Amino acid sequence: DQVSINNDIDTERYDIEAQHTFSLAKNLRVVWGASARLDEVYAPYWLGTKETDRFNLQRLFGHTEWRMNDKLLMNIGGMVEHNSFTGTDISPRASLNFKLTPNQTLRFGVSSALRTPNYVEEKFNSKVLIPLVAPLPTGVVYTFQDAGNVDPEKIVSREIGYLGDFGKFSLDAKMFNDKVSDYIITPKINGFVDPPGTVNLSARPRSGENGGDVLVNGFETQAKWKIANDTNLLLNYAYVDISANEDETARNIEMSMPRSTFSGLLTHRFNPQWDASYAYYQTSEVTALGDGGYVDLARRSDIRVARKFKAEHISGEVSAVVENLFNEHYQEFADYNTLKRRMRLNVRLDF
């Protein structure tokens, strides 16, 4: 015999937010506000009840920008949040910008943020009872048996940045250090005991809980160069190093982001009607979390040629785009998601 399971999830969300911006003085600006949200979830199979579950969230936030003098600019802010899962949490942040020269700025920043556990991690309680032929006990198929009381993930971010504008050339760079604590995981429950009179027909159920810490260090930079009046070059590079104990976080978490990422964009305008661009992207090997698989070093080149037009009552643009120009073995997220060369024609009309 077949067993039919209705595992549909119906959700509704109601959200309202208000914000007020004003100045206390010429060098002191303030923004503050509040929001309230209600989520209603009806999922009898996943929640183990035919009652609609409600998640309430309220937030109060504020931010102050203080221009101390011509060289120093300070930003201080924070948010207080109360929700049905984790109670009350606070997220402060602060930054300081220091002008070395009229064209060069150093910035220092520290902030914290929280990720509230979701329904999968906090409240899923799903099982299916399957009657068996007597005298066998009732069979049970489990997926999640959340114990609840999961703390929010917390991230503390620190960064030092530099911004330089030298006319035709500009540079924006930063070093950062992010520490994630109480990383939320959903492992199989150790020592799970079947209720009396039942037999487990599946693997051990999973439950959300807090695991270990994740440390992310890195460097990002962006350079812009105006080669000529009609020719521009944009370069981006990022380096990321992740450290964590996989047994306390997630499998392959240290490879869940490309260690090196590079991109470049060269644009040229031939005349007021015609322009063209060439883009190059490169990412080092990565194994994405979740359903992602190992993906080797990836390279991709795109070109675009466009022409603008204008008539009496209409204007617009026609552009031709070729993605993965050299037909590289380009993959995203997993090795089964392989992209070949693609071409398309875009038409935009403005009335």
Side-chain angles (χ1 to χ4, degrees):
D1 293 339
Q2 294 182 344
V3 177
S4 298
I5 301 173
N6 183 0
N7 59 359
D8 291 347
I9 301 177
D10 294 327
T11 62
E12 292 186 11
R13 172 171 291 181
Y14 306 90
D15 200 346
I16 185 171
E17 179 175 320
Q19 180 175 300
H20 179 213
T21 303
F22 61 97
S23 297
L24 290 174
K26 289 184 177 180
N27 63 341
L28 190 62
R29 298 192 301 172
V30 177
V31 58
W32 74 281
S35 67
R37 194 182 90 196
L38 170 64
D39 293 345
E40 294 185 340
V41 179
Y42 180 73
Y45 170 72
W46 294 110
L47 297 178
T49 176
K50 292 185 178 180
E51 299 293 327
T52 297
D53 194 86
R54 291 174 174 82
F55 174 83
N56 289 283
L57 170 67
Q58 299 88 35
R59 288 174 174 156
L60 178 66
F61 59 90
H63 187 89
T64 300
E65 180 189 85
W66 179 25
R67 187 169 295 279
M68 305 166 68
N69 52 48
D70 292 339
K71 291 184 176 293
L72 290 174
L73 178 67
M74 178 176 287
N75 288 271
I76 299 177
M79 181 173 66
V80 179
E81 174 184 309
H82 180 83
N83 66 73
S84 302
F85 286 174
T86 62
T88 302
D89 301 302
I90 301 175
S91 304
R93 63 185 64 89
S95 67
L96 179 68
N97 288 14
F98 174 65
K99 273 191 172 295
L100 299 171
T101 69
N103 300 323
Q104 299 183 77
T105 302
L106 282 178
R107 62 179 183 270
F108 307 87
V110 60
S111 64
S112 68
L114 299 162
R115 185 181 78 82
T116 303
N118 56 37
Y119 267 90
V120 175
E121 299 157 339
E122 177 73 14
K123 274 205 167 184
F124 268 24
N125 184 7
S126 54
K127 62 183 177 182
V128 177
L129 301 178
I130 302 176
L132 302 177
V133 178
L136 296 175
T138 300
V140 186
V141 177
Y142 294 98
T143 48
F144 285 90
Q145 292 287 290
D146 285 332
N149 298 317
V150 180
D151 293 328
E153 286 182 2
K154 182 178 182 179
I155 180 171
V156 176
S157 300
R158 305 171 182 87
E159 72 170 59
I160 300 176
Y162 169 83
L163 178 63
D165 188 348
F166 308 98
K168 292 187 175 182
F169 179 80
S170 66
L171 180 67
D172 188 348
K174 75 172 182 179
M175 295 184 296
F176 60 87
N177 167 266
D178 297 337
K179 182 178 180 181
V180 180
S181 55
D182 291 326
Y183 187 90
I184 299 176
I185 56 178
T186 53
K188 293 181 179 179
I189 302 174
N190 289 322
F192 180 78
V193 179
D194 299 321
T198 66
V199 59
N200 189 352
L201 301 179
S202 62
R204 287 174 293 153
R206 296 180 177 273
S207 176
E209 63 180 57
N210 294 104
D213 298 339
V214 181
L215 186 64
V216 183
N217 293 305
F219 169 79
E220 295 178 357
T221 184
Q222 180 182 89
K224 296 179 181 179
W225 180 22
K226 190 176 182 63
I227 301 174
N229 289 336
D230 298 312
T231 307
N232 294 277
L233 178 64
L234 174 66
L235 299 174
N236 294 279
Y237 177 76
Y239 175 85
V240 175
D241 179 70
I242 302 177
S243 301
N245 183 339
E246 290 191 0
D247 293 334
E248 298 177 350
T249 52
R251 184 170 61 91
N252 296 320
I253 193 169
E254 293 188 345
M255 288 189 61
S256 59
M257 292 180 64
R259 180 153 293 192
S260 296
T261 303
F262 172 80
S263 67
L265 176 65
L266 178 66
T267 62
H268 178 74
R269 179 166 294 281
F270 299 96
N271 54 48
Q273 288 78 39
W274 286 93
D275 67 85
S277 65
Y278 169 75
Y280 176 79
Y281 309 92
Q282 178 175 307
T283 57
S284 59
E285 58 182 4
V286 62
T287 303
L289 298 179
D291 296 331
Y294 173 80
V295 174
D296 203 350
L297 173 72
R299 300 184 180 93
R300 192 182 100 191
S301 295
D302 299 345
I303 59 170
R304 177 180 181 271
V305 178
R307 186 188 190 284
K308 294 181 179 179
F309 62 88
K310 188 174 183 180
E312 185 176 356
H313 300 293
I314 192 173
S315 62
E317 181 184 78
V318 177
S319 61
V321 179
V322 180
E323 296 180 348
N324 197 9
L325 176 65
F326 301 110
N327 206 24
E328 298 274 359
H329 190 64
Y330 179 77
Q331 298 174 333
E332 290 183 347
F333 188 66
D335 57 4
Y336 54 77
N337 191 22
T338 302
L339 303 180
K340 297 182 179 180
R341 183 188 295 121
R342 294 183 293 185
M343 294 173 282
R344 68 175 187 268
L345 185 68
N346 301 325
V347 179
R348 191 192 77 233
L349 301 176
D350 302 322
F351 298 94

